[in-house]
Amino acid sequence: MGMMKTEDSLDEKAIIAAAEKALADIALVREEVSKVIFGQESVVENTLLAVLSGGHALLVGVPGLAKTKLVTTLGEVLGLGANRIQFTPDLMPSDILGSEVMDQDESGRRSFRFVKGPVFAQLLMADEINRASPRTQSALLQSMQEYHITVAGQRYDLPTPFHVLATQNPLEQEGTYPLPEAQLDRFLMQVDVNYPELAAERQILLETTGLSETKPQAVLNAERLMQIQSLIRQMPVSDKVVDAILGLVRSARPGQGHASTDKHVAWGPGPRAGQAMMLCARARALYEGRLAPSLDDVYALAEPVLEHRMALTFAARAEGMSVRDVIAGLVKQARG
């Protein structure tokens, strides 16, 4: 697919040079993160891909698997201003967005002043997002979609770049408010965080219980990150890869002529899934040291991109199937 020539689009040589510089920068980021986060390569990769693609990620896993540590580490390594909100059922939208306070000057004149809430960060960690009430969740999710908030009729733009990395504990259902489907769709990717491998867990024990802990260094800054994000959007994608993305996303929807999908899937991913896949496939190519995405990128991203954008039928759940099983079947079919 030829690149569209626009004023700001780089020509091919310049794109290759910029991509090679980006490859080197991303390699430094990977190296720096690995000094602090042991193992969990796919978790680190997918979370970084979401940020490099300019989106938000939902990290799902039981407590104590270094989800919070990963987010704070990424904030430091990417040179982003990071804030953290611990979600609780009594958290109010104003606790996230900020609120107006009344000031009084020497002459006694009163005026309102807006005090910014923790959402004004470049990297926001939303811890246990499913513990907050729907009102508070929607306040955060609106800011994720629109990159600004409105308080008392006044618009306030969020910092750029703005990324939300939210965490969710899959086990606890009591006292939680599951995110509605439309809000889950706002996340570019769902990243499943599993228990560490034996070697990684041994390293965790040895490295984190001594007197000193390794501190990660900043490798990028916000401006450089945004340059890489813009470069990713300019990377060419071959027709073959575009067709594979469309084929995979559409095969996950019932009513498209796939017998197993019709049987097991209640509703499937919308066009946002394809958009996410286009961006993340390019980012994954760069992350792995390549200048163009391949079919392998598409198949590797099927699970994190599609998992939270589809639901199984009651019959499939009764059979003990999971969304992951369905996606694995579709990928196998697509690979032929």
Side-chain angles (χ1 to χ4, degrees):
M1 191 175 76
M3 289 294 302
M4 297 249 306
K5 282 276 189 282
T6 59
E7 290 302 311
D8 57 357
S9 117
L10 304 168
D11 66 17
E12 206 168 322
K13 265 189 188 155
I15 284 192
I16 290 171
E20 282 172 352
K21 189 171 181 326
L23 294 182
D25 284 348
I26 292 168
L28 286 175
V29 170
R30 292 176 67 164
E31 192 184 326
E32 207 55 43
V33 172
S34 69
K35 290 179 185 173
V36 186
I37 306 288
F38 310 119
Q40 303 289 26
E41 284 87 0
S42 73
V43 173
V44 172
E45 174 169 338
N46 287 339
T47 310
L48 260 170
L49 292 186
V51 174
L52 291 171
S53 304
H56 315 288
L58 180 65
L59 300 157
V60 178
V62 297
L65 298 182
K67 297 189 294 294
T68 309
K69 194 174 178 96
L70 172 62
V71 178
T72 49
T73 302
L74 285 181
E76 287 165 4
V77 173
L78 299 173
L80 301 179
N83 278 340
R84 176 178 175 207
I85 305 171
Q86 186 69 45
F87 279 68
T88 58
D90 57 354
L91 199 71
M92 298 300 284
S94 58
D95 295 331
I96 292 179
L97 306 178
S99 54
E100 297 215 299
V101 295
M102 191 179 276
D103 278 345
Q104 192 165 344
D105 60 18
E106 294 84 45
S107 58
R109 269 220 324 272
R110 292 176 178 177
S111 60
F112 282 107
R113 176 170 58 91
F114 178 65
V115 177
K116 291 178 174 180
V119 75
F120 287 87
Q122 292 169 322
L123 187 67
L124 180 68
M125 163 122 204
D127 230 339
E128 298 202 88
I129 189 172
N130 55 333
R131 288 199 166 282
S133 67
R135 256 183 87 184
T136 304
Q137 286 178 8
S138 65
L140 174 67
L141 288 146
Q142 182 186 4
S143 62
M144 286 167 56
Q145 191 62 17
E146 297 174 12
Y147 298 97
H148 68 258
I149 64 165
T150 310
V151 175
Q154 192 68 33
R155 173 184 164 142
Y156 301 95
D157 287 327
L158 293 168
T160 52
F162 175 68
H163 300 284
V164 173
L165 298 180
T167 70
Q168 195 169 298
N169 174 354
L171 300 179
E172 278 185 299
Q173 299 308 322
E174 200 155 321
T176 62
Y177 302 86
L179 291 176
E181 290 71 26
Q183 296 186 348
L184 282 171
D185 199 23
R186 300 268 190 271
F187 289 99
L188 199 66
M189 283 209 217
Q190 174 175 322
V191 182
D192 290 330
V193 187
N194 299 313
Y195 291 111
E197 302 283 327
L198 175 62
E201 194 158 5
R202 178 187 295 274
Q203 205 177 352
I204 291 167
L205 291 185
L206 297 173
E207 301 262 353
T208 59
T209 57
L211 282 175
S212 62
E213 276 197 46
T214 313
K215 284 269 180 282
Q217 301 297 311
V219 174
L220 302 186
N221 56 28
E223 198 181 336
R224 179 66 186 128
L225 175 63
M226 287 165 74
Q227 285 171 0
I228 295 174
Q229 289 172 344
S230 157
L231 172 74
I232 283 169
R233 286 177 169 268
Q234 293 185 63
M235 285 171 73
V237 182
S238 68
D239 287 345
K240 192 173 67 171
V241 171
V242 175
D243 291 343
I245 291 171
L246 283 168
L248 189 61
V249 170
R250 294 177 69 84
S251 72
R253 298 174 188 158
Q256 299 286 327
H258 272 258
S260 68
T261 300
D262 291 348
K263 187 178 168 194
H264 300 128
V265 179
W267 50 267
R272 260 203 204 113
Q275 293 169 326
M277 194 84 87
M278 279 285 279
L279 284 171
C280 294
R282 292 158 163 164
R284 187 175 189 269
L286 263 194
Y287 189 86
E288 306 230 317
R290 289 175 282 112
L291 298 179
S294 67
L295 295 181
D296 277 349
D297 295 318
V298 175
Y299 301 138
L301 291 163
E303 195 178 290
V305 169
L306 299 179
E307 192 180 353
H308 57 300
R309 291 188 165 99
M310 49 197 291
L312 299 182
T313 58
F314 179 74
R317 292 202 307 273
E319 282 175 35
M321 285 189 78
S322 72
V323 173
R324 276 188 230 148
D325 299 333
V326 173
I327 295 171
L330 293 173
V331 168
K332 196 172 169 190
Q333 212 172 345
R335 281 184 188 275

